[in-house]
Amino acid sequence: MAKPTRVGIYVRISKDRKGQELGIQRQEKACRELCERMGWGVLKVYPENDTSASTTSKRQRPAYSQMLRDARDGLIDAIVVYSIDRLTRRITELTYFLEEQKEHGFMFATTEGEDTATANGRMILTIKGAVAQQETERMSERVNNSLLQRREQGKPHAGGKRSFGFKEGSHFQEIDPRETELIRRGYTMLMSPQQKTPGDVMRFWNEEGSRTPADRAWTIQAVKRVYRAERTGGIVTYKGQDIGDSIYPSPLTREQWENVQAVLDGRATPAGKNSGKRKHLYSGFLKCAFCQSAMRVQWATIQGRTFRRTFCHSGQRGPDGELGCGKVSRSYEWIEERLNEVVEAALKKRRPQPQSAPSEDFSGQIRTLEERIRGLRSRWKDEVLEDEDYFDSLTHLRGELTALRAREAASVVRESRTETDVLTVWQDKDPDNLERRRAIVASVIDTVEVYSVGRGRRKPPEIDSIKVTPVQKRTRPQD
């Protein structure tokens, strides 16, 4: 077998705490020395630093995937690794690799001398792969047992992002006095006879100048996450199971945390069927003219009158990450009527679909062939034609007749499949047609900025209280 001239070297190390890539450099040096001894030419190196290949790792290995693609495409004709556990620690992945090698014919070698050209060599390689997987699984078991032991001792997980109420860099062992005070005052509000809500706590924290650990304004959901976190109540968990109480201080006690859960669960309502779907034609298109936040559309009942309204939600973040201003609250019906007029006018201006050319008439050709077949049959009955000539000619004519009838049927189908009139689709206001109508809106309208018209207004709003930006007039960045 010819010696490979386009070898791909794969090097990998699971942990590189210093980030100096010394491990993969040593592997690459050993692999290059092996290629030099064997007379193989190196084409490319596929490095993956600080990347695990164990059964517990969920990280992707892009260099490994690229190497296999190059081998399948014939860009490289051999793969060299330092050892089999550098290639993979999963027996299923190793089996797949050997099947790929067998199918695409690229060569494989390691500095430890494994041979995949024979059945015995592949068996030994598979055994080594199983040993590498077992070593990884045993290591994972030891780590998990150590973590469980720490949890049972009341030591919570010390990694991850900072949680509200704990000091930065304290590994959740020290609480922040100011943030803890806010959490406890919020707890008092939630448990008060006045039945304060997470929204009240959100507004209180924002008024106090508090920010989330990500340096953003508080939202209702962010407040709920603080009180939902077991760590806030000093509860230690392991794989979702309650292990016990933390030995370190926490903003709330376990009893207080459980009280909050009862309050939050009591206020929660199950999501209705299809609750995630859009229910209003222009929801998602409307923006507050003051803060550019997306406006909500919902049904409201005020003083016994039920109607739809659109409003800027003060608990929802805008494009800049800040909360909505809450300055705009409008009746949705008037806005929908005006926008319907805009969309319908745009659809009427569109050019109609060009009429398709008239379908081809095959009836004359079909009649001619049918007459020829009848004449052929008559001549055969009169014994003018021999059997062999008759059946050969009949087969040929019937083939032509079948083809013509198929073309005629296809022409009829094409003629019947006319383009649906977009305006007709738009005017169909059936609830099941909402998504199609929203798609038509998206082809006409980019965004709609909504301005406030004041409270207690009785006369209709001015037309310039909304600003429609058509799709074709989107702002382009300056050169």
Side-chain angles (χ1 to χ4, degrees), residues 16 22 46 51 63 85 93 100 118 132 142-143 145 187 190 211 224 243 274 287 313 334 336 340 397 450 462 469 478:
D16 184 12
L22 299 179
Y46 300 87
T51 304
D85 61 352
E93 198 169 55
E100 289 286 294
T118 63
R142 291 196 298 270
V143 171
N145 289 335
Y187 167 78
L190 294 173
R211 306 281 287 184
K224 286 182 178 180
I243 302 298
N274 299 328
K287 289 188 176 182
H313 197 291
W334 182 88
E336 185 178 59
N340 284 348
L397 292 176
V450 183
E462 288 79 8
T469 303
Q478 298 296 324

Side-chain angles (χ1 to χ4, degrees), residues 237-252:
T237 59
Y238 178 72
K239 294 186 176 180
Q241 299 297 319
D242 185 345
I243 302 298
D245 295 329
S246 173
I247 62 175
Y248 305 113
S250 58
L252 299 179

